[in-house]
C-alpha cells in the first residue's frame, strides 16, 4: 500500500498567521494521464471530513482562497495564508491512484 | 447539494452482525461508484470498501474481506454495508462517501454512523 506521511502531527498557530502542512507519498502520484492526484480534506471537531483541494491545487467550491495546495511527484504542501478560528481541525492528505486508497495520519491545527 | 445520510449503527457484541445503510439524494446515484470509509475513535481515516455503479465490481480493505459485504440498490438510491463476525477493532464511525472518478477521491461524505463492538 502507498504510505502517506504527514508532518507535523500537531500545528499550533496564532490567528492571522500562516500555516503549512507537509504530505509525502511512498510512490509517485503522477497518473498515466499526466495528472497528479493528491487531495486534501478538512475535518472540523465533531464533523465529517470535507474535501478542500483535489489534484494538488484545485480548491473545491466554497473553500476560501486562503487555502492553497502545491507540490509534485511525492511531496506536497497545504498552506493556509492567514489562519482563522474556523480552520481548527484535522487535515488529511489522500491518494486514490494506487489501490487501495490511503490517507495520511492527519495534522491537527489548533489555535495557540 | 449532495446528501448522504447513514443509519444502522449501534452497539453489537463481538461476533455479531450489523447492516449499515446510506440514503443518497440530490445527485444521480446510479452513475457513481460509492464507498465506505471508517474512523476509529481518535484515529485517522481508513477506506473500507468500494462498489461500482451497477454493483458488478466490489473492493475491500484486507482487514474486512470475507466479513463485510458492500451492496447497493439504485432504485432506492441506497448503499449498504453488511458487517458480520464483528471484532472490537471494527469499532468506528462509518462514513458513506461518493467516489469521484475524475479526481480519484471522495468528493462528498455523509455525517457518519457509529458502530461499537463490545461485550
Amino acid at each position: 500500500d502507498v504510505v502517506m506521511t504527514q508532518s507535523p502531527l500537531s500545528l499550533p498557530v496564532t490567528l492571522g498567521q500562516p500555516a503549512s502542512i507537509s504530505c509525502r507519498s511512498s510512490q509517485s502520484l503522477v497518473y498515466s494521464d499526466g495528472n497528479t492526484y493528491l487531495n486534501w480534506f478538512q475535518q472540523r471537531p465533531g464533523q465529517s471530513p470535507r474535501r478542500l483541494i483535489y489534484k494538488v491545487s484545485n480548491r473545491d467550491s466554497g473553500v476560501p482562497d486562503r487555502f492553497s495546495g502545491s507540490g509534485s511527484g511525492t511531496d506536497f504542501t497545504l498552506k493556509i495564508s492567514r489562519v482563522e478560528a474556523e480552520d481548527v481541525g484535522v487535515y488529511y492528505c489522500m491518494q486514490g491512484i494506487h489501490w487501495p486508497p490511503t490517507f495520511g495520519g492527519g495534522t491537527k491545527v489548533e489555535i495557540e | 447539494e449532495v446528501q448522504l445520510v447513514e443509519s444502522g449503527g449501534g452497539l453489537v457484541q463481538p461476533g455479531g452482525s450489523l447492516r449499515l445503510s446510506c440514503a443518497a439524494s440530490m445527485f444521480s446515484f446510479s452513475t457513481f461508484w460509492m464507498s465506505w470509509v471508517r474512523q476509529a475513535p481518535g484515529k485517522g481515516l481508513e477506506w473500507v470498501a468500494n462498489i461500482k455503479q451497477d454493483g458488478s465490481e466490489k473492493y475491500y480493505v484486507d482487514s474486512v474481506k470475507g466479513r463485510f459485504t458492500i451492496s447497493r440498490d439504485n432504485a432506492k438510491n441506497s448503499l449498504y454495508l453488511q458487517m458480520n463476525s464483528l471484532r472490537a477493532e471494527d469499532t468506528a464511525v462509518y462514513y458513506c462517501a461518493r467516489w469521484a472518478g475524475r479526481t480519484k477521491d471522495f468528493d462528498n461524505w455523509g455525517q457518519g454512523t457509529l458502530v461499537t463492538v463490545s461485550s
Side-chain angles (χ1 to χ4, degrees):
Chain A
D1 297 0
V2 173
V3 177
M4 305 295 288
T5 303
Q6 287 182 233
S7 62
L9 261 60
S10 177
L11 184 56
V13 294
T14 302
L15 287 173
Q17 293 302 301
S20 180
I21 299 170
S22 172
C23 174
R24 180 167 293 179
S25 58
S26 61
Q27 296 183 36
S28 172
L29 299 186
V30 180
Y31 194 55
S32 54
D33 62 7
N35 291 310
T36 302
Y37 292 88
L38 183 283
N39 312 292
W40 290 96
F41 296 84
Q42 176 195 59
Q43 188 174 31
R44 290 170 171 155
Q47 295 188 13
S48 55
R50 160 203 184 195
R51 193 179 68 181
L52 288 180
I53 287 174
Y54 59 92
K55 289 168 64 179
V56 181
S57 59
N58 296 275
R59 279 189 304 273
D60 269 275
S61 175
V63 175
D65 61 7
R66 63 179 180 275
F67 289 94
S68 64
S70 63
S72 63
T74 61
D75 288 291
F76 305 93
T77 302
L78 175 69
K79 292 184 179 178
I80 310 173
S81 59
R82 294 173 301 280
V83 172
E84 297 190 5
E86 65 178 17
D87 300 336
V88 165
V90 181
Y91 293 78
Y92 297 92
C93 60
M94 175 251 163
Q95 69 81 26
I97 65 167
H98 302 286
W99 211 254
T102 49
F103 294 88
T107 295
K108 186 175 183 179
V109 172
E110 51 194 2
I111 305 300
E112 63 179 355
Chain B
E1 181 182 341
V2 170
Q3 290 198 358
L4 299 167
V5 180
E6 302 92 336
S7 60
L11 175 63
V12 61
Q13 293 187 341
S17 298
L18 213 53
R19 189 194 194 207
L20 306 183
S21 300
C22 171
S25 60
M26 304 304 289
F27 69 101
S28 182
F29 179 75
S30 64
T31 66
F32 284 86
W33 283 74
M34 294 297 296
S35 309
W36 289 98
V37 179
R38 68 184 177 182
Q39 185 172 36
K43 302 297 184 181
L45 301 166
E46 179 184 41
W47 167 79
V48 174
N50 265 27
I51 185 168
K52 194 177 179 179
Q53 290 92 330
D54 62 359
S56 61
E57 294 183 35
K58 304 175 184 181
Y59 301 95
Y60 302 93
V61 67
D62 285 349
S63 59
V64 309
K65 283 179 182 175
R67 300 188 299 122
F68 290 11
T69 301
I70 188 173
S71 62
R72 64 192 296 163
D73 185 336
N74 288 340
K76 295 183 178 179
N77 288 339
S78 293
L79 177 72
Y80 306 102
L81 186 67
Q82 177 66 44
M83 303 185 295
N84 298 331
S85 303
L86 282 162
R87 306 166 180 168
E89 54 264 36
D90 295 318
T91 294
V93 174
Y94 285 74
Y95 295 102
C96 167
R98 190 175 78 171
W99 177 260
R102 291 183 181 181
T103 52
K104 306 190 188 311
D105 67 353
F106 311 100
D107 67 350
N108 284 274
W109 300 64
Q111 87 288 349
T113 187
L114 176 62
V115 172
T116 302
V117 184
S118 174
S119 55

